[in-house]
């Protein structure tokens, strides 16, 4: 027996849901991952393909996950069970979602811990460069612990009092702050070159590998492919308009990513940094910009504080996927789920925390995967991000799109999508069902192949 649906919590208002779901979407993906991937992908070319992926694939697919969640009022495993009944192999896909929540949360918290550390860097490690900082074992593990603890405290608070309340307060502040940093960045000398790199696509850079990476980023940044949006959709009341709310989530999320680019690319070029720096990019470049700003010290503290907060509104959604599974399916209490799962995530995160120079065994795993690494990734964190955060999300999205489009059936899914919606006209419904059945699975399958054959 599952918990009674009637007891289940709901979002208290439309804006509460939008901010919570946008909070899930907006995070390290926008401010840390998007700029470094765009930097590696030639700038404008990546941005263009990324935007196409978000609008043409990510958004319709998001509507599918939200509809499945609201229809079943369940976590990803429960949602699939509610349609197939128990004993179907499809439940494995739900199981994958829960597992992906675990794994992504583990390494995500490490990077979020860096952000926390940078917010208080002047106090805890004023003289360290990024390399040294990320390679200090005690420091990074402690920071990771602090970040996870914050995540646990919000999720224990539940839907309305925890997740929704914090998202409402924190996201608007983030927005204003990024705006201030942009103003500084674009007025730096040499900023124009960065803007050009960021905005003018060089079409010769568009390769299959770039498309793979851009679509992977579209899924990551919208929290898709691992059931976070199924779970958040499960707390949506029937009167809510999935297309409108989901549309807002996409708009806010895209806006923040684009703004992050406006903040970082002018700065990279003005500071003579290398856009292809990889995952260290924002931690290396932004502090240099802050150093050149009036009140830069204060702006830096605020910025990394807000980055930590943006990461927090995402990490809670990762944890919520796992917690809702144990609450719905195993009848654990919310408290018990959070603390037990949380402890395991903390332990799982340690190898990632040590993988940026602190421990040789996790930092360079060529003894397992050879000199060129596993799909080009040599450290533990990079490998998890590739296997689960990139390829895994594409695989998850592939199976979930088949599930929604064919097993549940796009027509039934569309009924859910239309309920409470003022914008889903007959025409839009036909477009959406066509996308869900054919376009999304086919495109995503191509991308999965790209990952499997290491096409990046
Ligand atoms: N979307 C989040 C970000 O951009 C990360 C995330 C991925 C959260 C998958 C939940 C699920 O930072």
């Amino acid at each position: 027996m599952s918990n009674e649906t009637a007891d289940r919590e709901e979002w208290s208002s439309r804006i509460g849901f939008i901010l919570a779901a946008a909070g899930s979407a907006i995070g390290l993906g926008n401010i840390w991952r998007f700029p470094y991937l765009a930097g590696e992908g030639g700038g404008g070319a990546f941005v263009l393909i990324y935007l196409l992926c978000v609008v043409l694939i990510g958004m319709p697919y998001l509507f599918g996950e939200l509809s499945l969640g609201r229809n079943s009022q369940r976590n990803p495993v429960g949602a699939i069970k509610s349609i197939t009944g128990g004993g179907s192999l499809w439940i494995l896909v739900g199981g994958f979602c829960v597992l992906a929540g675990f794994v992504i949360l583990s390494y995500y918290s490490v990077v979020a811990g860096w952000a926390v550390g940078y917010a208080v860097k002047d106090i805890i490690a004023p003289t360290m460069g990024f390399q040294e900082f990320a390679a200090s074992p005690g420091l990074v593990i402690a920071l990771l612990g602090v970040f996870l603890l914050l995540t646990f405290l919000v999720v224990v608070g539940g839907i309305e009092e925890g997740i929704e309340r914090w998202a409402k307060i924190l996201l608007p502040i983030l927005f204003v702050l990024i705006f201030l940093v942009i103003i500084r960045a674009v007025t730096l000398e040499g900023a124009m070159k960065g803007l050009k790199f960021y905005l003018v696509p060089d079409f010769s850079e568009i390769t299959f590998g770039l498309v793979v990476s851009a679509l992977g980023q579209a899924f990551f940044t919208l929290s898709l492919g691992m059931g976070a949006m199924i779970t958040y959709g499960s707390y949506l009341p029937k009167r809510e308009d999935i297309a409108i709310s989901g549309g807002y989530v996409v708009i806010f999320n895209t806006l923040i990513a684009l703004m992050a680019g406006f903040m970082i690319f002018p700065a990279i070029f003005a500071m003579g940094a290398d856009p292809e720096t990889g995952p260290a990019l924002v931690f290396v470049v932004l502090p240099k910009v802050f150093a050149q700003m009036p009140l830069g010290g204060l702006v830096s503290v605020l910025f990394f504080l807000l980055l930590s907060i943006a990461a927090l509104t995402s990490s809670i959604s990762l944890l919520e996927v796992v917690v809702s599974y144990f609450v719905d399916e195993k009848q654990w209490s919310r408290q018990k789920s959070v603390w037990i799962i949380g402890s395991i995530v903390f332990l799982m995160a340690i190898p990632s925390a040590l993988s940026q120079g602190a421990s040789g065994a996790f930092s360079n795993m060529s003894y397992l995967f050879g000199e060129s690494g596993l799909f080009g990734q040599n450290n533990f964190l990079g490998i998890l991000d590739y296997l689960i955060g990139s390829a895994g999300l594409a695989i998850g999205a592939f199976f979930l799109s088949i599930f929604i489009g064919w097993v549940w059936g796009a027509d039934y899914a569309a009924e859910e999508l239309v309920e409470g919606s003022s914008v889903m006209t007959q025409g839009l419904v036909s477009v959406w069902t066509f996308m869900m059945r054919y376009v999304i699975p086919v495109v995503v399958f191509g991308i999965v192949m790209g990952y499997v054959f290491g096409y990046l």
Side-chain angles (χ1 to χ4, degrees):
M1 262 290 286
S2 294
N3 287 353
E4 291 300 319
T5 301
D7 296 341
R8 223 161 182 271
E9 281 196 82
E10 281 187 354
W11 307 108
S12 70
S13 60
R14 165 178 289 187
I15 188 77
F17 165 74
I18 293 174
L19 285 176
S24 167
I26 297 167
L28 297 173
N30 309 57
I31 297 168
W32 163 71
R33 207 174 189 260
F34 169 72
Y36 90 72
L37 290 180
E40 288 173 346
F46 182 93
V47 177
L48 178 69
I49 303 294
Y50 163 81
L51 289 175
L52 289 174
C53 290
V54 164
V55 174
L56 297 179
I57 306 290
M59 188 164 73
Y61 174 77
L62 167 68
F63 295 173
E65 275 202 23
L66 289 174
S67 301
L68 176 58
R70 186 174 72 176
N71 182 265
S72 62
Q73 312 266 297
R74 285 285 175 277
N75 67 88
V77 174
I80 288 176
K81 248 196 233 166
S82 81
I83 282 162
T84 60
S88 147
L89 275 182
W90 281 100
I91 289 174
L92 291 178
V93 178
F96 165 81
C97 292
V98 175
L99 184 79
F102 257 113
V103 175
I104 297 177
L105 180 58
S106 74
Y107 74 83
Y108 196 87
S109 307
V110 172
V111 180
W114 299 343
V116 174
Y118 263 63
V120 290
K121 191 159 175 296
D122 277 345
I123 304 167
I124 60 170
T127 54
M128 280 188 188
F130 179 71
Q131 299 296 346
E132 195 191 345
F133 171 89
S136 311
L139 192 58
V140 286
I141 291 179
L143 290 167
L144 150 74
V146 170
F147 180 79
L148 274 177
L149 201 64
L150 291 172
T151 306
F152 303 161
L153 292 176
V154 178
V155 176
V156 165
I159 297 306
E160 244 194 87
E161 284 302 304
I163 297 177
E164 184 176 330
R165 185 174 63 165
W166 284 101
K168 264 190 202 165
I169 303 176
L170 301 173
L171 281 175
I173 311 181
L174 177 72
F175 202 82
V176 173
L177 212 83
I178 295 183
F179 200 74
L180 289 181
V181 182
I182 291 179
I183 293 177
R184 171 69 273 203
V186 297
T187 51
L188 287 167
E189 200 172 325
M192 263 322 280
K193 264 209 238 124
L195 286 176
K196 203 169 151 228
F197 176 81
Y198 180 46
L199 296 176
V200 184
D202 170 357
F203 290 97
S204 70
E205 295 262 3
I206 301 178
T207 59
F208 182 51
L210 183 139
V211 179
V212 172
S213 145
L215 187 62
Q217 172 60 11
F219 283 124
F220 187 90
T221 190
L222 288 169
S223 308
L224 299 175
M226 50 74 66
M229 290 300 177
I230 298 178
T231 308
Y232 272 29
S234 76
Y235 305 115
L236 268 177
K238 290 282 183 199
R239 60 172 186 278
E240 201 45 77
D241 192 329
I242 291 180
I244 294 269
S245 307
Y248 274 120
V249 171
V250 173
I251 291 172
F252 287 149
N253 183 63
T254 308
L255 206 63
I256 296 270
L258 291 177
M259 283 170 73
F262 275 108
M263 167 171 87
I264 286 158
F265 287 103
I268 294 174
F269 283 80
M271 303 292 153
D274 178 4
E276 298 196 34
T277 302
L281 185 66
V282 289
F283 292 96
V284 171
V285 172
L286 286 180
K288 291 190 185 155
V289 179
F290 298 141
Q292 298 209 355
M293 284 174 79
L295 296 180
L298 181 65
V299 175
S300 171
V301 171
L302 278 177
F303 177 80
F304 283 109
L305 204 65
L306 284 164
L307 181 55
S308 313
I309 290 163
L312 185 63
T313 55
S314 301
S315 64
I316 55 189
S317 69
L318 288 161
L319 183 58
E320 181 62 27
V321 172
V322 188
V323 165
S324 67
Y325 167 75
F326 283 95
V327 170
D328 291 348
E329 307 300 313
K330 306 284 172 208
Q331 278 80 51
W332 288 13
S333 74
R334 190 164 262 280
Q335 292 248 354
K336 174 179 163 190
S337 317
V338 168
W339 295 111
I340 294 183
I341 295 157
S343 313
I344 302 175
V345 170
F346 177 68
L347 294 177
M348 279 182 21
I350 291 177
S352 292
L354 298 179
S355 72
Q356 306 299 308
S359 139
F362 293 120
S363 303
N364 185 344
M365 304 185 72
S366 53
Y367 54 92
L368 279 184
F369 306 114
E371 269 316 308
S372 53
L374 186 65
F375 301 109
Q377 306 293 329
N378 252 320
N379 68 72
F380 195 80
L381 194 160
I383 290 172
L384 287 188
D385 187 42
Y386 189 93
L387 288 182
I388 308 294
S390 306
L393 293 186
I395 294 171
F398 171 69
F399 283 111
L400 284 170
S401 64
I402 299 277
F403 184 81
I404 295 168
W406 297 93
V407 179
W408 183 16
D411 293 330
Y412 288 104
E415 272 175 33
E416 185 66 41
L417 175 56
V418 166
E419 185 164 355
S421 179
S422 54
V423 285
M424 289 304 293
T425 56
Q426 204 42 53
L428 281 177
V429 167
S430 323
V431 174
W432 183 78
T433 47
F434 181 77
M435 298 292 290
M436 209 63 228
R437 278 203 191 104
Y438 304 102
V439 181
I440 298 176
V442 168
V443 172
V444 177
F445 185 75
I447 299 303
V448 170
M449 290 297 112
Y451 279 117
V452 171
F453 293 107
Y455 232 106
L456 281 185

